Every structure is written in C-alpha cells, then in structure tokens.
C-alpha cells in the first residue's frame, strides 16, 4: 500500500481545525481595537452624546392598559361539572385578541372618543385612523390564563387611558350584540306570531260574547254532564289539536334556534338532550358511551363519592392519616373520582368527535322529522275537529256554537301562553350567553413614560457605539494592512523579536565579500547578526538545525541567513549552509557556486549519503563555514525534500557540524518550508515591516503553527529604510502562473559561447531572472543545462 508523502500530509493538516481561524480572527480584532483605542473612545463618546441628546429631545410616550377576564359556560350540556378552560385558552383566546383590533371594535371606539382624545390622529386623514389604531392597540393573552391585556401608548397619559377604555367598552358592546343576536331574532319572530294570535283571540272572545248575548247563555259548559257525545268528540279533538299545536310551536322554535346556532358556529351541545324521544335519546347516550344504566350508575357513584368524602372528613378528626380505615376510604374516594373523570372525558371526547359538521345536520334532521310529524298530526286533527265541530253545531245548535267558541277561546289563550313562555325563555338566554367578559383592571393614566426608557437607550447607545467603533476599526485595519510598529508585529504574531537588521552596504555583490559579517566584522552593520546569534544561543541552546524563511519573496532571508552563519563560524562553531531553495537558489547565487554539484544531486543519488555529501559540500572561503549549494534545478523539489534522504542528510550533518543553517523558499509560495521545518529544530521568520502585508505574514505564521512547526522568533529586516522594498530581496520571485518564474529544461539547444557564463548553465531569455534570489545586484540567474 502506497504511503502518503510528507508534502501530502502537510497539505492535509492545513485543511484541519477550521475553528482555529476564527479564534485567530478574534484575537486580531482585539489587537486592532487595542491599537486604535483612541478611535474607539471617540466613537463611544459620540454615541453617548447622541444617545443623551435623543433621550433629552425624544417625545415621551405614556402607556395605559386594561385587563379582561374571559370565561365560557356550557348551559344545558351533558358536561356540567368540568369546565373546558384549557380548550378556551388554546382555541378561543387568539380569536378574542384579533377581535380587539378588528375594524368594527375600533370604529365603535372612535365614535365614543372626544376631540381631545384624538391628539395622536390629528396629522392623519380620517380614513387612516382605524388602521393606525389597529397597529398601535396591543392585545395579548397572559400565558396559561384566560386574561386578556389591552394597552395603548400616547403622548398624553389621559388620552392613553381614554382610548383603552373606549376600545374595551366597544369590545364589550360588540360581544353582547354578537351573543344576543340569535335570541333577539327568534324573540322578534315569536312576538309577531303572538301579536297575530292575540288579535285572533280577541275576535273569538268577542264572538263568544255576542253569541251569549244572542242566545242568552243557557248555562251549558264544557264540564257539564249533559253534553252530547258528538260534542264530547269535538271537545276531545279540540284538546288533542291544542296539544299538537303546542308541541309544533315548541319544535319550530327549537328548529329555528338550532339553525341559527349552526349558522353562527355556536355550541350545539346544549341541544343534545332536547332532541329525540326516549329511543333517540337512548341511542344518543349510547353513541356517547353512556347508556341509561350508565347514567344511573354514574349518578349513584357521585352520591357515594359525596358520602365518602363527608365520612372521610368525619373520621379524620379522630383517626390519623395512616389508619387502615382512613387509608381505605381515601383510596375509595380516589378510585371513584378517577372513574367519574374518565367517564366524563369519554363523553367529552365523543361529543368532540361528532363535531359541528356532523352534529348540526343530525340535530336539524331530527327536529325536522319531529316537526313534520307534528304538522301532519295537526293537519289530521284539525280536519277531524272541523268535521266534528260542524256535526256538533248542527246537532246542538246554538249551545254547541257557544261551546265551540269557548273552546276556540281557550285554545287560542293556551297558545298565547305558550308563545309568552317561549319569549321569556329567549330573554333569559340572552342574559346567559356562553362567553362572558368582565373587566378586572380598569385603565389608568400613569405619569411615568414608557418611551424612551433610560436603560434601553443606554444599552442601545453602548451597543451602537461598540458596533460602529468595531466596524471602523475593522475597515481601517483592512485598508491599512501593514505593521505599524515592531511592537504590533510581535503582539499580532505572538513571536519574540530576535533582532532588527538595517540596510546593508556590502563591498561586493557575490562571494564571501558580499557578506557584511565577514567583510566588516567590527562594523555596526554586523552587530544585529551577532545579536541574533546570541539570542538564539541563550533562548534555544539545544537548537542546532535552523531554517530561515520569509512570508514573501524579497524579504532578504538569504542575506540574513548567510551573515548569521558567518557569525556562528566566527564563534568557533563548524557551520554548514544548505541551500534548500531548489526552485530559486538565492544562496548559491550569492556565494557564486552555480554548477552541477549540490543538494539536488545528493538527494537524487542512490549512493551513501555521507560520501555524496562530502563530494558536493564546498568550502566558502571563510574559516569554519561550508556550503552545500542547491545544485541543478529539479522538476520535483517538494518530493526530493520530503524523501528520506534529506532527513538522512541532516542526520549526517549533525555528526560533522556544530550548526546547520538551511535556506528555504518563502512559506506562502510553496510547502517546502513546511516539509523542511518538520525535520529541523526550529524556524526563524524574516519580516520587512514596511513591505510585508500584515495579513500575509499572519497567514504564514498561522500556517506554520497549524502544522506544529516550532517558530523560534522574528527578524525585522531593513528597519531603517521603509521606501526601498527590493533591497536584498526577490525582485521577481514567484511560483505558479504569472509570477515571472518558470521551470526550463534545455534539450539539444545550441548555445553560443557568448551566452554561456558558467559551465553547464544558460541564462534566462529576455533578461528574465535578473535577480539572484536574495541580492538584486547579482549576475543573471542561470538555469542548469541538462547534458544529453
């Protein structure tokens, strides 16, 4: 199975830990705020001033509220002991909330408000008043209660209270009209029928009086014993007709009531027991899971429950709670209560399952059947009555006529009484509607404004100031993406500064004399490198293998590395310089060691690593300092550096040299630095504060930290000149497309003697690569020529 290379494992680790990026972003933001704390303070002061100005000049708004208790009753229903408050809160309360803000209620409230109470509406057209109040009136149900709160805010506390009071009164009037509407319509119809019946009764009474005067009323009465059988038949049919007409009137009233209730969506449970005969009622109770025996058993158990509770109260006065009799009685009360509750729940569930859509048509159908039957009976009895009356009149003459008139008067009088009772019953029903609303808290005018609130203004001011200041800091931090000071660089990167190197002036451009530490070891320009050597020796005394890198090309890492190696050699340590920048070998160019020998050949060879290293390591001309140049440019530098031979080379070097210094490509350009950094003791990062973008340097440090590569510290290069960004740098260093660098292999190319400046090498065409990597004044960068 193929094992992943070191470069592949490094690239996989870069994609891990996405949360670390967020933490670093927050830390960068904190540092940016700290750097621009004066701006933050100024913005906060401005927002506090604006907040105070707003609080001082804002219009004061006052609130007033009222509380309504909404209850629901169920008269004449099977469930008379358990109220359905939870169903009311869940299903009906949202409807009541919306009804408070309905246009009908708002219009009614506007009619009752005085002109002084319309100060909030003076700037609005009349047609927008209702819409404005619908938005401003707040109605909400208090959680787990049947209480509805209504509130309103106004510039005047008295106006707020008056508006709430008017809305509540309009709502109460609307609810009363809505619940009395059905009964009022029925009462009007029955009243009209009663008025017509009263007129007919008056005419019959007058006819009776006239007949008695005419026939001198011989004294025969309906209760006399001398009546003829024919007259008795007429009396019998008259009594039956009165009873049927009375039943028909009741059924008509019941049908109209049920139809109105179905049309208005009212509760139909109260009419269940009013419909059907004994058989139909028994069928209804059976469909609800409660037969006549169950009803009798339930009533008996309720009586027993009351008796047991009374007995329990009595014996608890003399016996303790753990006494066997008390325990048994308590258990019996509990079991009886559970049974009654389950029975009631079963009835409620069956009633609910019937629903409005099934129960309403069933009730209407049953009442219509009974009404049709009553009308048919009335029609038959009326025909029989007319026949028998005619016979009685013909038989009894004037006396029978008087008797019939008396019967007519009595029948009409009885019907009049029935209509009066029905009208009185409807009047009582109007006063006992299902939904009742009571005001439990009257609206009051308060002197403390609800807006603006000092605490809320303060919180919003602080949050707004923080938001604006953080936004400005983030914007300025994104626009100014350079390190403003050495301290900021250390704070942001979290690394110590090892030394600061100013601009160097070397007497020569290549060779040992190009290194200031060797050409002028006692000059001030060499002191930063001795400081760097001392800092590394004191803080990391066990570090022998060091990689010098940078975030971007052109930061002067190669020059810093070479001068530091000279300082180690001057301190008496055998030092080896390795040019591991196989792509753009700056150290090889600086030391004028271009040629076919170098690191790439050592890594490609299959011979003993020690023997190959001795063949390719070259003396620098400086005592104690050897150099392993890069060698011919390979096509696969990352794979060579990640091979086991490179780690074997470092192991061999540790046995021969005291200090090993390695030059690697910029961190963000390739993964070569990450590959090498995992094999050495530490990495030092060269930064040009005036040149490098802060975001790029931070990304380089985060990348190395994510791959767990030890960072020893920072070197601030060219701190004395912030304008010259290309001194000791990669003037046109690049990797990838458009970067000004490309791999080239020459096969069979005919070079003229003038084009050859080194044996086995040819220069870039068109003057490309005129930067030697880390020293812009070097000769042309040469491409190793492959010999066929």
């Amino acid at each position: 199975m193929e094992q992943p290379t070191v470069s592949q494992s490094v690239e996989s680790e870069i994609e891990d830990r996405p949360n670390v990026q967020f933490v670093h972003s927050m830390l960068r933001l904190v540092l940016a705020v700290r750097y621009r704390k004066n701006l933050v303070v100024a913005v906060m002061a401005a927002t506090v001033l604006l907040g105070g100005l707003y609080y001082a000049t804002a219009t004061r708004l006052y609130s007033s509220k009222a509380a309504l208790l909404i209850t629901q009753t169920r008269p004449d229903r099977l469930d008379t002991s358990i109220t359905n408050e939870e169903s009311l809160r869940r299903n009906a309360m949202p409807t009541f909330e919306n009804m408070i803000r309905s246009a009908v209620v708002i219009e009614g409230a506007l009619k009752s408000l005085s002109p002084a109470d319309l100060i909030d509406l003076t700037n609005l057209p009349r047609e927008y008043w209702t819409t404005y109040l619908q938005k401003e009136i707040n109605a909400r149900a208090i959680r787990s209660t049947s209480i509805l709160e209504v509130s309103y805010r106004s510039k005047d506390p008295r106006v707020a209270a008056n508006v709430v009071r008017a809305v509540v009164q309009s709502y109460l009037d609307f609810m009363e009209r809505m619940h009395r509407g059905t009964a009022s319509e029925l009462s009007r119809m029955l009243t009209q029928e009663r008025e017509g019946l009263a007129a007919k009764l008056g005419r019959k009474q007058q006819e009776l009086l006239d007949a008695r005067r005419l026939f001198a009323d011989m004294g025969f009465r309906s209760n006399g014993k001398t009546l003829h059988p024919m007259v008795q038949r007429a009396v019998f049919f008259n009594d039956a007709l009165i009873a049927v007409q009375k039943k028909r009137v009741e059924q008509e009233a019941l049908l109209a009531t049920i139809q109105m209730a179905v049309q208005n969506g009212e509760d139909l449970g109260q009419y269940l027991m009013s419909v059907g005969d004994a058989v139909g009622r028994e069928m209804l109770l059976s469909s609800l899971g409660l037969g006549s025996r169950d009803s009798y058993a339930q009533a008996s158990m309720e009586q027993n429950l009351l008796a047991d509770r009374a007995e329990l109260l009595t014996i608890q006065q003399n016996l303790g709670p753990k006494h066997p009799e008390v325990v048994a009685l308590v258990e019996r009360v509990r079991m009886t209560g559970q049974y009654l509750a389950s029975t009631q729940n079963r009835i409620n569930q069956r009633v609910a399952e019937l629903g409005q859509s099934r129960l309403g048509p069933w009730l209407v159908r049953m009442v219509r059947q009974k009404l049709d039957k009553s009308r048919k009976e009335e029609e038959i009895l009326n025909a029989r009555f007319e026949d028998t009356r005619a016979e009685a009149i013909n038989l009894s003459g004037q006396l029978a006529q008087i008797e019939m008139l008396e019967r007519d008067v009595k029948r009409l009088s009885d019907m009049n009484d029935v209509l009066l009772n029905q009208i009185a019953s409807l009047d009582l029903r109007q006063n006992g509607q299902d939904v009742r609303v009571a005001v439990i808290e009257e609206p009051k005018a308060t002197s403390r404004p609800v807006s603006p609130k000092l605490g809320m203004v303060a919180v919003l001011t602080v949050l707004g100031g923080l938001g604006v200041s953080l936004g400005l800091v983030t914007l300025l931090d994104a626009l100014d993406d350079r390190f403003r000071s050495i301290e900021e660089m250390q704070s942001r990167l979290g690394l110590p500064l090892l030394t600061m190197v100013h601009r160097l002036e070397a007497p020569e451009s290549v060779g040992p004399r190009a290194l200031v530490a060797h050409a002028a070891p006692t000059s001030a320009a060499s002191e930063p490198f001795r400081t760097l050597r001392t800092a590394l020796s004191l803080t990391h005394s066990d570090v022998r293998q060091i990689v010098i890198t940078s975030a971007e090309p052109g930061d002067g890492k190669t020059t810093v590395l070479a001068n530091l190696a000279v300082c180690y050699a001057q301190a008496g340590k055998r030092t080896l310089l390795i040019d591991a920048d196989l792509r753009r070998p700056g150290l090889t160019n600086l030391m004028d060691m271009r040629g076919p020998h170098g690191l790439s050949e050592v890594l490609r060879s299959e011979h003993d690593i020690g023997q190959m290293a001795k063949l390719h390591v070259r003396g620098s001309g400086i005592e104690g300092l050897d150099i392993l140049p890069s060698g011919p440019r390979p096509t696969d530098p990352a794979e060579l550096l990640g091979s086991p031979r490179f780690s074997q080379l470092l192991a061999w070097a540790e046995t021969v040299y005291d200090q090993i210094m390695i030059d690697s490509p910029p961190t963000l350009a390739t993964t070569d630095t990450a590959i090498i950094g995992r094999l050495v003791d530490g990495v030092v990062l060269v930064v040009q504060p005036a040149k490098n973008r802060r975001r790029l340097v931070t990304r380089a440090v985060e990348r190395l930290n994510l791959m767990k590569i030890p960072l020893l510290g920072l070197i601030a290069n060219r701190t004395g000149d912030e304008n010259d960004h290309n001194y000791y740098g990669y003037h046109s260093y690049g990797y990838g497309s458009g970067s000004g660098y490309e791999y080239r292999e020459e096969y069979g190319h005919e070079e003229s003697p003038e084009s050859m400046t080194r044996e086995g090498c040819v220069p870039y065409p068109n003057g490309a690569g005129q930067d030697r990597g880390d020293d812009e004044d070097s000769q042309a960068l040469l491409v190793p020529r492959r010999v066929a």
Side-chain angles (χ1 to χ4, degrees), residues 290 292-310 331-344 346:
L290 183 65
S292 59
R293 296 182 179 180
D294 294 334
S295 301
Y296 175 80
Q298 183 177 0
S300 177
M301 292 188 72
E302 289 177 350
Q303 294 178 357
N304 294 337
L305 179 62
L306 294 177
D308 291 340
R309 287 177 177 174
E331 182 63 19
R332 189 165 60 197
V333 168
R334 185 184 65 82
M335 294 296 293
T336 304
Q338 287 183 351
Y339 174 80
L340 293 176
S342 63
T343 302
Q344 191 61 57
R346 178 160 50 90

Side-chain angles (χ1 to χ4, degrees), residues 417-519:
D417 294 339
V418 170
L419 292 176
L420 286 176
N421 293 332
Q422 291 291 332
I423 294 172
S425 135
L426 290 174
D427 290 338
L428 291 176
R429 188 172 300 167
Q430 292 181 62
N431 297 325
Q433 64 268 24
D434 290 346
V435 179
R436 298 180 181 179
V437 183
V439 180
I440 60 175
E441 181 180 348
E442 293 288 345
K444 298 178 182 179
T446 58
S447 59
R448 178 178 298 179
V450 295
S451 177
K453 293 182 178 180
L454 181 59
M456 183 63 68
V457 171
V459 171
L460 293 179
T461 298
V462 172
L463 293 179
L466 288 176
V468 173
S469 60
L470 291 179
L472 289 176
V473 167
T474 304
L475 177 62
L476 294 176
D477 191 62
L479 296 177
D480 183 14
D481 196 24
R482 296 185 186 276
F483 291 109
R484 289 167 291 274
S485 65
I486 297 298
E487 291 75 13
E488 181 190 359
M489 180 176 66
Q490 295 184 88
S491 178
R492 281 185 174 271
L493 301 180
L495 295 173
L497 180 65
L498 301 177
T499 187
M500 292 188 295
V501 180
H502 299 284
R503 180 169 180 167
L504 303 177
E505 296 290 345
E508 296 182 9
S509 60
V510 295
R513 296 286 297 173
L515 303 178
V516 175
H518 173 69

Side-chain angles (χ1 to χ4, degrees), residues 679-694:
L679 304 175
V680 300
D681 298 329
V683 176
V684 177
L685 185 66
V686 177
V687 180
Q688 282 195 47
K691 168 184 174 291
N692 293 137
R693 295 289 179 181
R694 184 176 61 225

